[in-house]
Each structure stands twice: as structure tokens, then as C-alpha cells.
Amino acid sequence: MHTSDLSSPFISQYINAVTCHMAQGHVSLVLIAQEFHITRGQLNRRVKAELGITAQQLALNIRINHAKQLLLAQRNLPIGDIAYQCGFDDATSFTRAFHRATDCSPSHYRNINKKT
């Protein structure tokens, strides 16, 4: 995936849709696909054709990157609140996804990136 690929109008709209859904507390690719007036399969094929990754993987990358920012910028914010702000249903599923993506827990990520 190249950063220049992220500038395509479709991908930009998809990123905005994921971000909006995240702010509402739940990311549903089915609902996002409906907003684009396509099926989830079509959404996935389109993202994969443009970026080489699935729509789900791109959404997860967006959510994990947002979580990283929150973990460092708002150090007193509980992990559960960060999970919700990133569109996860609970802290457990967020921690599991974060660990798979980064190889460390959210609290460990926060601790190893402390500002001195």
C-alpha cells in the first residue's frame, strides 16, 4: 500500500466514512457499503483493487492508528473509553485487536512511549 493510493476519491470517502462511524462508537462495513450504494463484497473488492488490502483491514488500520494517537495524547483516558472512541464494542476486543496489530497491549504501548 502506498500513501499516494490513499488520495483516491473513493478511498478518501471510505476513510471519512470509517472515521464517522468510529465517532459513533461502532464501525459496520455493511452500513458503510450501504452508504456507497454497493454491497460489502463490492466495497471490499474496490478497496482491495486500489490498495491491495481488504476494506476490513483498512478500517482496522485506521482504528488502531487512532487508538495509538489517543493512547499517547490522552494518557489518563481509560482503555475502555479509547476502545469505544475507536469503534470497538468493548475493551477486550480492542485489546485483542491492538495486540494483534502492534504486538503489544494498549497499556504497554502507552508505557513504552512515555515522554520523558
Side-chain angles (χ1 to χ4, degrees):
M1 177 172 73
H2 298 87
T3 353
S4 59
D5 298 336
L6 296 176
S7 65
S8 89
F10 177 79
I11 296 300
S12 293
Q13 290 173 340
Y14 177 72
I15 291 170
N16 287 338
V18 170
T19 303
C20 286
H21 281 252
M22 243 180 6
Q24 297 168 4
H26 183 72
V27 177
S28 167
L29 296 185
V30 171
L31 293 177
I32 292 172
Q34 287 174 355
E35 291 171 16
F36 282 91
H37 305 289
I38 58 177
T39 66
R40 181 178 174 181
Q42 291 169 318
L43 175 69
N44 194 51
R45 283 190 293 279
R46 180 89 183 259
V47 171
K48 189 152 182 118
E50 292 197 32
L51 298 177
I53 61 173
T54 65
Q56 183 174 350
Q57 185 60 50
L58 179 56
L60 182 61
N61 291 348
I62 294 164
R63 295 161 77 193
I64 296 297
N65 286 333
H66 185 61
K68 287 177 178 178
Q69 293 171 357
L70 289 174
L71 285 164
L72 300 181
Q74 299 183 25
R75 293 189 170 276
N76 295 327
L77 191 63
I79 300 297
D81 291 353
I82 290 173
Y84 181 76
Q85 288 184 30
C86 294
F88 290 90
D89 294 331
D90 56 63
T92 304
S93 60
F94 165 65
T95 299
R96 204 175 301 125
F98 191 92
H99 192 276
R100 275 194 307 267
T102 65
D103 239 6
C104 67
S105 70
S107 53
H108 183 69
Y109 180 85
R110 182 182 264 170
N111 289 335
I112 62 172
N113 289 292
K114 280 186 179 177
K115 291 181 182 174
T116 55

